[in-house]
Amino acid sequence: MMALPGGRQVDSIALPGQRLHLMQVDSVQRWMEDLKLMTECECMCVLQAKPISLEEDAQGDLILAGGPGPGDPLQLLLKRGWVISTELRRIGQKLAQDRWARVHSMSVRLTCHARSMVSEYSAVSRSSSQEMGQVEKLLMEKCSELSAVTERCLQVENEHVLKSMKACVSETLSTLGQHFGQLLELALTREVQALVRKIDASDNIYTTESTTGNLFSLTQEGAPLCRIIAKEGGVVALFKVCRQDSFRCLYPQALRTLASICCVEEGVHQLEKVDGVLCLADILTDDSHSEATRAEAAAVVAQVTSPHLPFTQHLSSFLESMEEIVTALLKLCQEASSGEVFLLASAALANITFFDTMACEMLLQLNAIRVLLEACSDKQRVDTPYTRDQIVTILANMSVLEQCASDIIQENGVQLIMGMLSEKPRSGTPAEVAACERVQQKAAVTLARLSRDPDVAQEAVRLSCMSRLIELCRSPSERNSSDAVLVACLAALRRLAGVCPEGLQDSDFQQLVQPRLVDSFLLCSNMEESFV
């Protein structure tokens, strides 16, 4: 999957700027809230009338000192669930190290957490189902069993007996984890059902806004919750919001939530069942909608057409609306008022070019090359390697068409591609470095494909593309030691060398062009920086 700075789940989109700032604030706020749930282990030790542990890792134990406010079952479940999951993982680690004293004390504490979660949730939730009651009982029985067996282990000195008991403890811990996961899923499912019913039945804009915001927050907890939301009708309810004019101001929030849910297969299937693609097409092609709304619709399109998710390739309904969606997305790129809007629209277009080859022909007819290359000179729209990654992806996929070469030359596209071969990260973060590698790789691929046309090849040679390709091959630091960039550059260099062999020195020809590609790759991938 592509890098996602900012926490969005759209596969090929990174979210810089304002939304990245908002997600960072959310992370800080969540961290500060988690601090309220942490205290020193002395509290539990005193309550248990046991001596304070002298082990250095005891200071890091997590104790739920203060739960969420009354009437907030979702937050209670998430916070208690996080603490219990952490305790389960730590017990497993201590068990592997045969630190029985710690295993027992943590098992006792785990029992306290589990009992608290059950009692607190029962106090704030609706009447418990029979299935939940049965799982709660099984969970508490396993907690008691774990505490009892670990206490017995403390009294055993025979290593052979202790080894057999360790297997029993491990099995009990595993079963306990399964019961906990089952109980948490049942409880979360009930809360999601309540949220979805509230959205579905509400005609109040403030209630719908608040409930949709809660649903979006849940999607940020990961794929398992997105699956629950999709299965319980979240996609259906959100598209119902997006089809009501009275809720127009909530469209961006609802669409953002839909993009998050559609990172899982169940979300995409539900989207297709409710003709979600048609709804997205209507929003994108309706200029009366705000730019923010159309940008969020583009984000959903980018998610459901992601080439990195195998289940999106079977979205048959997309083909019916593809032409109008492609046209609307290109228009959004052309009129984008910010880098983020351009990024969302171009990422959707990039994914669509993987989704169906007809999209490349449509883009060619719509003069997309001119639109995209003009945007590259506009720093307000194209200002990050993430955005250039989307542009060069579109160019690389369009370059398989023979007609593409003449448009590239006409718009001075070879010079732009040459510049992309020199893409460098500004911040040095792993996500940005990876984006720069992708830009370099795809620029080389685009150049190799376009150089089938002699005019493009001659223009590339005139602009000294061969020198840059040689530098990328020979200098690992120039390509961040990326093998993918190396292979693409070797292929492009060989294509250009076939047109202009005189542009190469003998050593370059003998090492980078003449041998088999795999031999040149091995030579360059093992090359030191001091190689001359």
Side-chain angles (χ1 to χ4, degrees):
M1 296 172 70
M2 299 230 177
L4 296 183
R8 283 293 291 265
Q9 295 180 317
V10 178
D11 286 73
S12 66
I13 306 178
L15 296 180
Q18 183 179 3
R19 188 166 302 155
L20 175 57
H21 172 69
L22 290 174
M23 293 306 294
Q24 287 173 338
V25 171
D26 290 344
S27 299
V28 173
Q29 289 175 345
R30 177 171 296 184
W31 172 70
M32 293 184 71
E33 289 174 3
D34 290 341
L35 286 179
K36 300 175 185 177
L37 314 180
M38 302 173 66
T39 186
E40 304 298 343
C41 67
E42 284 83 350
C43 299
M44 285 298 293
C45 290
V46 171
L47 289 174
Q48 296 168 17
K50 293 182 178 180
I52 296 174
S53 173
L54 297 178
E55 296 190 39
E56 59 182 15
D57 61 344
Q59 301 302 314
D61 294 335
L62 298 173
I63 307 298
L64 199 62
D72 192 1
L74 262 176
Q75 287 304 311
L76 185 151
L77 289 169
L78 293 173
K79 292 180 183 299
R80 283 287 186 189
W82 172 71
V83 173
I84 293 174
S85 298
T86 302
E87 289 289 0
L88 284 168
R89 176 176 54 81
R90 289 184 173 181
I91 292 174
Q93 292 172 348
K94 301 308 174 190
L95 181 62
Q97 299 168 1
D98 294 329
R99 300 173 69 174
W100 292 104
R102 293 289 293 142
V103 169
H104 175 60
S105 64
M106 295 171 75
S107 298
V108 172
R109 189 167 55 248
L110 176 66
T111 302
C112 294
H113 287 317
R115 185 177 292 111
S116 295
M117 185 183 82
V118 170
S119 62
E120 289 173 9
Y121 181 67
S122 298
V124 299
S125 68
R126 292 154 292 281
S127 57
S128 178
S129 66
Q130 183 178 359
E131 184 180 9
M132 282 188 66
Q134 292 174 347
V135 178
E136 287 173 3
K137 182 180 178 181
L138 291 172
L139 175 64
M140 297 316 303
E141 287 176 354
K142 281 299 173 183
C143 284
S144 299
E145 181 182 331
L146 182 66
S147 297
V149 71
T150 54
E151 186 174 16
R152 290 198 302 271
C153 289
L154 290 175
Q155 303 166 4
V156 176
E157 296 182 358
N158 187 302
E159 290 188 7
H160 181 71
V161 175
L162 204 56
K163 186 175 182 180
S164 62
M165 294 184 74
K166 182 177 180 179
C168 178
V169 173
S170 180
E171 183 179 351
T172 303
L173 189 64
S174 175
T175 306
L176 191 157
Q178 292 173 9
H179 289 327
F180 166 69
Q182 187 178 1
L183 178 61
L184 190 61
E185 182 176 354
L186 287 171
L188 287 171
T189 298
R190 290 185 64 195
E191 299 307 318
V192 167
Q193 288 172 343
L195 285 177
V196 170
R197 284 196 299 268
K198 199 170 182 180
I199 293 174
D200 201 40
S202 175
D203 56 1
N204 182 286
I205 192 168
Y206 301 107
T207 301
T208 305
E209 180 181 21
S210 174
T211 311
T212 304
N214 290 338
L215 209 59
F216 175 74
S217 296
L218 284 180
T219 65
Q220 303 309 293
E221 297 295 332
L225 265 166
C226 290
R227 291 189 183 93
I228 292 174
I229 293 170
K231 288 178 180 177
E232 299 306 324
V235 173
V236 178
L238 289 167
F239 269 113
K240 182 179 178 181
V241 171
C242 291
R243 288 185 167 108
Q244 296 183 57
D245 285 341
S246 58
F247 287 152
R248 275 200 167 212
C249 63
L250 301 183
Y251 284 10
Q253 185 185 46
L255 290 165
R256 191 176 306 126
T257 308
L258 281 166
S260 297
I261 299 172
C262 289
C263 73
V264 297
E265 185 172 2
E266 293 82 354
V268 176
H269 287 166
Q270 290 298 315
L271 178 143
E272 187 162 30
K273 283 183 179 179
V274 297
D275 290 329
V277 173
L278 185 61
C279 179
L280 294 172
D282 290 341
I283 292 172
L284 284 167
T285 55
D286 186 350
D287 289 339
S288 68
H289 286 297
S290 67
E291 184 185 67
T293 298
R294 287 179 286 139
E296 294 296 347
V300 182
V301 172
Q303 182 64 74
V304 301
T305 55
S306 171
H308 307 287
L309 302 177
F311 49 82
T312 62
Q313 300 303 310
H314 305 293
L315 199 64
S316 57
S317 61
F318 186 82
L319 296 176
E320 300 172 8
S321 304
M322 187 169 67
E323 185 172 1
E324 57 184 343
I325 289 175
V326 168
T327 304
L329 288 171
L330 188 62
K331 182 180 179 183
L332 187 58
C333 285
Q334 195 168 15
E335 299 174 353
S337 63
S338 67
E340 183 181 359
V341 172
F342 185 92
L343 174 60
L344 293 168
S346 60
L349 283 175
N351 284 354
I352 292 172
T353 60
F354 285 109
F355 189 81
D356 193 277
T357 53
M358 283 198 312
C360 294
E361 297 177 2
M362 293 177 187
L363 286 169
L364 197 64
Q365 294 172 1
L366 293 168
N367 295 318
I369 291 176
R370 178 181 56 79
V371 173
L372 295 173
L373 296 184
E374 283 180 356
C376 287
S377 60
D378 182 358
K379 296 301 180 185
Q380 186 175 352
R381 287 185 289 168
V382 181
D383 58 347
T384 68
Y386 307 110
T387 311
R388 283 186 282 274
D389 181 20
Q390 310 308 322
I391 292 173
V392 74
T393 298
I394 298 170
L395 294 177
N397 287 338
M398 290 183 67
S399 63
V400 299
L401 303 175
E402 291 184 6
Q403 311 95 296
C404 180
S406 59
D407 286 6
I408 288 284
I409 293 177
Q410 185 176 347
E411 301 295 335
N412 295 320
V414 178
Q415 187 170 358
L416 175 77
I417 295 168
M418 171 71 175
M420 289 181 172
L421 289 173
S422 300
E423 189 75 32
K424 295 287 185 182
R426 297 176 189 171
S427 64
T429 61
E432 189 172 0
V433 169
C436 290
E437 290 176 17
R438 293 194 299 271
V439 171
Q440 287 183 327
Q441 177 199 5
K442 294 171 185 176
V445 168
T446 305
L447 190 61
R449 290 175 176 175
L450 291 173
S451 294
R452 294 170 305 187
D453 186 296
D455 294 335
V456 174
Q458 290 293 343
E459 179 68 6
V461 171
R462 187 184 70 80
L463 293 170
S464 303
C465 283
M466 293 178 73
S467 299
R468 179 56 184 162
L469 291 170
I470 292 170
E471 184 180 19
L472 285 165
C473 292
R474 291 197 176 280
S475 177
S477 64
E478 288 295 312
R479 61 175 191 275
N480 195 41
S481 300
S482 168
D483 289 343
V485 175
L486 173 58
V487 171
C489 289
L490 284 170
L493 182 63
R494 288 165 180 244
R495 180 63 62 88
L496 290 176
V499 177
C500 184
E502 62 275 11
L504 291 172
Q505 296 181 6
D506 290 341
S507 59
D508 294 328
F509 181 80
Q510 292 170 6
Q511 294 174 356
L512 305 178
V513 177
Q514 192 175 42
R516 295 182 307 162
L517 181 63
V518 66
D519 293 331
S520 295
F521 169 80
L522 291 173
L523 173 68
C524 294
S525 60
N526 294 321
M527 200 170 285
E528 297 293 335
E529 288 299 319
S530 59
F531 184 89
V532 177

